[in-house]
Amino acid sequence: LAGRSEAHLALGSPHDAFTDASRAARLAPTLAIAHLRKGLAARAIGCPYEAFLQEALRLEPGNAEAQRALSGGDRAAPTGARRGGRASVQEEVEAEEEDEGLAGD
């Protein structure tokens, strides 16, 4: 699912990427790449993303991709990202953060 999430991001489908990454993180909560992909997808949608990237770094402190994303070194969003549905995705992001105890970080 984390790999498919990356493919969705590359194809400009951040909502699908977020869904797959969320499922991956739920199934394997210690998998840093799942939290990384979730953060990158949330950012591409325009939702809060930092807590997901910080969780990826907590799980894998040397993750260069998460470090770059947090520092703003790779700000380019995937081309062709679909618009719409932002409110529901925002709600899902907030619910995920709350479930993971990341809200307010």
Side-chain angles (χ1 to χ4, degrees):
L1 288 169
R4 191 167 74 177
S5 174
E6 181 178 21
H8 283 306
L9 276 174
L11 294 171
S13 299
H15 294 91
D16 294 332
F18 185 83
T19 298
D20 280 353
S22 293
R23 288 180 185 151
R26 218 174 283 126
L27 292 170
T30 60
L31 185 63
I33 194 73
H35 297 280
L36 170 65
R37 298 288 176 240
K38 192 171 168 180
L40 295 175
R43 185 180 69 181
I45 294 166
C47 294
Y49 63 91
E50 292 87 354
F52 302 126
L53 298 176
Q54 289 168 350
E55 180 64 7
L57 282 173
R58 186 187 70 77
L59 294 167
E60 189 180 317
N63 188 305
E65 191 174 359
Q67 290 170 345
R68 275 192 311 275
L70 274 173
S71 70
D74 68 343
R75 297 296 299 170
T79 58
R82 290 189 300 209
R83 304 252 184 239
R86 182 174 175 181
S88 62
V89 172
Q90 176 71 30
E91 291 168 1
E92 187 174 346
V93 168
E94 290 169 359
E96 290 287 333
E97 287 177 340
E98 188 173 303
D99 288 347
E100 296 174 4
L102 299 174
D105 285 355

